[in-house]
Amino acid sequence: MVSLPTLKRTRSTRDSDVVTTHPSPLGSPDSSAPARTGASPAPARPGSAPTSTQPTAGPVSTRPTAGPASTQQTAGPASARPLTTSQPLTTQPRTTPAPLATDPDEPAPAARAIGVLRRLRAWMLVLPVDLLILLSPILWAPQQWKAIVAMAAVALVLLTGGGRYRARLHLSVLDELPALLRNLLTAAALVGIVVALRHDADGLMIFLHGAAIAMAMLVAGRFVTTAVINSSRRRKITRHATVLVGGGQVAADLARYLAERPRYGLGVVGFVDNSAGVVDRAIAPRLGALDDLDDVVARTHADVILLADGDLDEVQMVAALDNPRLASVDKLVVPRMHMLRTKGGMDDHIGSIPVMRIASPNLSGFGAFAKRSIDIAVSGLALLVLSPLLGVAALAVRMDGGGSVIFRQTRVGRDGRTFECLKLRSMRPVREGEEAAWGTANNTNRITKVGAFLRRSSIDELPQLWNVLRGDMTLVGPRPERPTFVEQFSAEHTGYARRHRMRTGLTGMAQVSGLRGDTSIADRARADNYYIENWSPYLDIKIVLRTFSEVLFGKGR
């Protein structure tokens, strides 16, 4: 496995300003504050266990006793006596419960019920209610059940964006109403077209009547579910432990605002920054530096990261967020120029501060399964269909230069793992004493006549379909490179190593963006990382179609 420098994280020495304990998620002051000067504690009962005393602001002395009774404190200095070594004055370390813990004063059944409610998520309420409402027309139009079920399925896909439903921070049905109606009308129109083609006018009218009622009921249902979620947030039942990244003025405003308004469902447990920051420590203590983010999230049981402003390096921040330990954590970010309104409007907001949700690359789960399934089906079929062409090309290579037909070379794949990449030989072997150089210009004198045609038409890459079928590569992804150059480029170009979050591909975003041959490595890395961050099945289809265009009308390599 090849070492990828930019994927490594060097943990910095923890700052002396780091707070080792965190307050309650709301940032409320610690209840174990020191007693006021001159105050006397309640007298201890005889036979009670000895207790340690906390230092007070005044010159307090302790009168030792012979028995196990607790020590007594007096406010005046006249009775001060030295402490004996047998009972040293100690202070108990501050301990706080884990964030979002239930109130210990609550009855056990109530505490357990609240614990269960806190594990619920908005989609567990909203989606079942939406589904039941969308299926309700079956009650009075059972003959249209197929169309009603189809509309419900299409509507749910549109309402969730094809992923998991997430409630907005600023919950308002009126804010969501335009998008809600647009998605519902789109679903009704798509299914309505099919109904119109398969049924008469009466059947279409029955479906549209039921769809209209279902849409009106769904909007009314959203008012109810939104009210339930808002009530749960205000009562602090639904609260997500949140770590602020950055300690600047925007972070300070967010910490204060979220502490005062629980309606957003976020409880700030602290912030991380490479400097002290200006955040009020009574609301959100400093928990560490940026390099400590993964440990802070694990220690505070946080499930939300909110990126604000502070003494932070963007490259270091991206590397911290790429940590696999943070893959399941929701990530929110305040845009850098948040004072300016974008043309598309705001994704969400906390007060008047716009907040955008960072979409994690879809590198696992159903998306990865679907991509792998397509890889297997397409590569297997392509090998079968293109086998005559591969045979002719192999014969031409053998007749042109002799020697082996297949060129095998070690390349770096996903997560730095190496594999043997296959190509039709297009260059003569490196002579003894020569070193392979990167770039086409450095190897022009080694390219054979047949090899020049194979490279120009990309036929030499076709054996890599076998790599795709085996699972070493994928049809669309960043192109693989040799280990030596991976280490070199990773050290020289920011973000190059991040390309290896995904399997390397037969074609990719860089190749269809004019970045083939001797082109900028930094531009290639940016194009490949853009593809990974925005992967979708449609993007793969678009890149494959553009690949055919590049092969047929492009300049080749």
Side-chain angles (χ1 to χ4, degrees), residues 22 98-100 241-243 269-270 287 293 295-303:
H22 54 81
L100 307 183
T242 303
V243 173
V269 298
L287 303 178
L293 180 59
D295 289 337
V296 168
V297 168
R299 187 170 72 248
T300 59
H301 307 284
D303 54 0

Side-chain angles (χ1 to χ4, degrees), residues 158-182:
L158 295 176
L159 291 173
T160 60
R164 188 180 71 179
Y165 173 82
R166 299 175 185 270
R168 291 169 56 90
L169 298 175
H170 186 86
L171 272 179
S172 171
V173 178
L174 295 180
D175 289 346
E176 298 178 1
L177 190 58
L180 194 65
L181 292 178
R182 181 177 64 249

